[in-house]
Amino acid sequence: MKIKLAEEVKHLTTEQLEELYERYISGEKNQELMEEYGIDAPPNKLVSLFPPVIHESLVCAYCALPLFYKRKSKTGSSYSMEYFCLECEHKEGHHYSRPLVCTCTPCSEKRAEAARAKRAADLEKIYQEYDLEKKVMLKYSDLSFRHKCYLLSLFLMQSESELNRIKPLNNSGSAVDLSPTDNFDNEIILKLHRDSVIAVDACSPFSAFDPSDDFKSFYYRDVFWVVNVSLDGSRRLSLEELFKLVYVELRDGIQLEWEEDLKALVFKLAEEEVAKYLGICLEQLQLPDAPKKTSEVIKEVLNEFSVSEIYYFIKKATENAHLFYAKRKSREPKACGKYNT
């Protein structure tokens, strides 16, 4: 295999080049050496003009030809070493303790194929973990009033009927909120999942699953959901079928056994509405977050006052707090700009 020489040293023989390198590596000045050997180039470029050295044992994994390595400079370190193929540009070696990442075409294709194989294996793990055939279906008769209200909200706000599934909380695309707060959104989804009313769709985005535990965990605000309800225990209802059953049942009026659930749900919605309004007022007036016990206070106040009345209390309280902070800040001593040494 013939090595192509740099134009600046083509006039030198192999023996002269080796002699020049020995003198260079021993510490002689670049400028003087280049003048002596008739090399027209900047002095700091000298080491790059020497032809590479063939390795005695390493061969290219693709071409079966010997690998080469560049000459070391007289000030170079041994922390990095690179071997390369003159034919296909394949590289091997290390940089400090890390192996070099070769970008030649065969290596790039090999990495791409490995990535495709791993992705396919990971997807298979996800499909196995969240296979609907392994899920025990919940009977429609076991759904509570709260389950049905939550489902109706999801059908109206989050449904993707053409694919028979419920969209992720983080990707609803709906102009209307599912519930007053994100916390309540989470509570709705988690309760339905915990009670086996809905199940994770294995065809959710790959990023919605956690690879750290073989995809047994998932990000519940990022996955798609499918209903996991059956009328007779043998066939899973479609999204549309379940929607019609729930809608017709709720449309026909409140049943006596739903009253306790209904009362609890109404109060829960009121708590979330008040909490959201409080957060908006605090943010608008740039006030600190409400203390943790605020939720308990809201529950107590709701026993005596309506949501609209509590809104008025919140508005006045936050405005007074804002005024208090503003007055206290105005009384704080201002820096005079004097500097003492």
Side-chain angles (χ1 to χ4, degrees):
M1 179 184 297
K2 189 171 182 178
I3 300 171
K4 186 178 180 181
L5 295 177
E7 289 293 332
E8 294 89 340
V9 295
K10 276 187 174 180
H11 61 285
L12 299 177
T13 64
T14 301
E15 291 75 15
Q16 286 176 317
L17 283 169
E18 293 302 326
E19 178 187 83
L20 173 58
Y21 182 70
E22 290 299 326
R23 294 178 62 182
Y24 158 79
I25 208 74
S26 67
E28 293 190 40
K29 292 184 178 181
N30 291 16
Q31 183 68 44
E32 294 177 358
L33 288 172
M34 295 173 80
E35 289 177 358
E36 181 180 341
Y37 284 84
I39 299 172
D40 184 17
N44 60 359
K45 192 182 177 184
L46 177 57
V47 69
S48 66
L49 301 178
F50 291 108
V53 181
I54 189 170
H55 196 280
E56 294 180 356
S57 58
L58 290 179
V59 295
C60 177
Y62 305 109
C63 304
L65 296 174
L67 295 182
F68 288 76
Y69 58 92
K70 293 179 181 179
R71 311 260 181 158
K72 290 184 179 180
S73 70
K74 51 190 169 186
T75 57
S77 68
S78 60
Y79 294 120
S80 297
M81 198 63 198
E82 180 180 300
Y83 307 99
F84 53 90
C85 176
L86 295 179
E87 184 69 23
C88 69
E89 299 182 348
H90 171 64
K91 294 178 182 179
E92 296 179 15
H94 65 274
H95 178 65
Y96 289 87
S97 59
R98 298 187 301 274
L100 290 175
V101 177
C102 180
T103 57
C104 74
T105 299
C107 278
S108 297
E109 291 175 350
K110 191 175 181 180
R111 281 195 300 273
E113 179 56 35
R116 286 191 292 269
K118 185 179 185 307
R119 182 63 170 257
D122 288 344
L123 288 174
E124 181 60 27
K125 288 180 182 178
I126 292 172
Y127 294 145
Q128 290 296 325
E129 183 68 31
Y130 301 96
D131 184 1
L132 290 177
E133 297 303 317
K134 299 177 182 178
K135 306 292 181 186
V136 177
M137 290 177 284
L138 188 71
K139 288 186 178 180
Y140 182 82
S141 57
D142 292 332
L143 290 176
S144 68
F145 172 75
R146 184 168 291 209
H147 287 147
K148 293 168 184 174
C149 288
Y150 288 170
L151 282 170
L152 190 60
S153 297
L154 286 171
F155 294 149
L156 295 174
M157 310 296 183
Q158 303 278 127
S159 66
E160 194 176 62
S161 56
E162 64 275 13
L163 293 177
N164 193 32
R165 60 184 185 174
I166 296 165
K167 291 183 284 189
L169 292 176
N170 283 339
N171 184 31
S172 68
S174 174
V176 183
D177 293 332
L178 175 63
S179 77
T181 64
D182 286 346
N183 286 337
F184 196 21
D185 289 352
N186 298 340
E187 185 176 318
I188 289 172
I189 285 292
L190 291 175
K191 178 171 178 55
L192 292 175
H193 175 247
R194 185 170 55 248
D195 295 347
S196 297
V197 181
I198 58 176
V200 174
D201 183 5
C203 293
S204 298
F206 183 78
S207 59
F209 300 95
D210 185 1
S212 66
D213 61 351
D214 267 349
F215 307 100
K216 290 180 173 60
S217 301
F218 58 90
Y219 302 101
Y220 62 85
R221 291 188 63 90
D222 296 327
V223 293
F224 284 84
W225 302 90
V226 292
V227 295
N228 191 44
V229 181
S230 171
L231 274 178
D232 55 9
S234 62
R235 185 180 69 84
R236 186 173 282 102
L237 292 170
S238 70
L239 199 66
E240 185 177 359
E241 289 171 332
L242 186 55
F243 169 72
K244 288 178 179 178
L245 287 171
V246 171
Y247 177 77
V248 170
E249 188 175 1
L250 294 181
R251 183 197 61 186
D252 289 344
I254 302 301
Q255 299 179 19
L256 184 62
E257 63 266 26
W258 294 347
E259 288 186 358
E260 287 301 316
D261 258 359
L262 177 59
K263 181 180 177 182
L265 183 56
V266 168
F267 266 82
K268 177 63 177 176
L269 285 167
E271 290 170 25
E272 297 298 326
E273 290 283 4
V274 170
K276 182 175 183 179
Y277 183 71
L278 175 59
I280 290 172
C281 290
L282 293 174
E283 183 178 357
Q284 287 178 343
L285 297 175
Q286 298 182 330
L287 292 171
D289 292 338
K292 292 182 179 179
K293 65 178 182 179
T294 302
S295 59
E296 297 302 320
V297 173
I298 290 174
K299 291 178 183 178
E300 291 294 327
V301 177
L302 278 169
N303 288 321
E304 303 294 335
F305 300 96
S306 68
V307 171
S308 59
E309 289 173 321
I310 298 173
Y311 278 7
Y312 173 75
F313 300 153
I314 289 174
K315 187 173 186 301
K316 296 300 293 183
T318 53
E319 286 175 349
N320 289 338
H322 177 67
L323 184 61
F324 170 77
Y325 278 108
K327 286 182 177 179
R328 188 175 70 174
K329 189 173 182 180
S330 66
R331 290 198 298 268
E332 292 177 356
K334 295 181 180 179
C336 63
K338 185 177 179 180
Y339 178 75
N340 295 322
T341 57

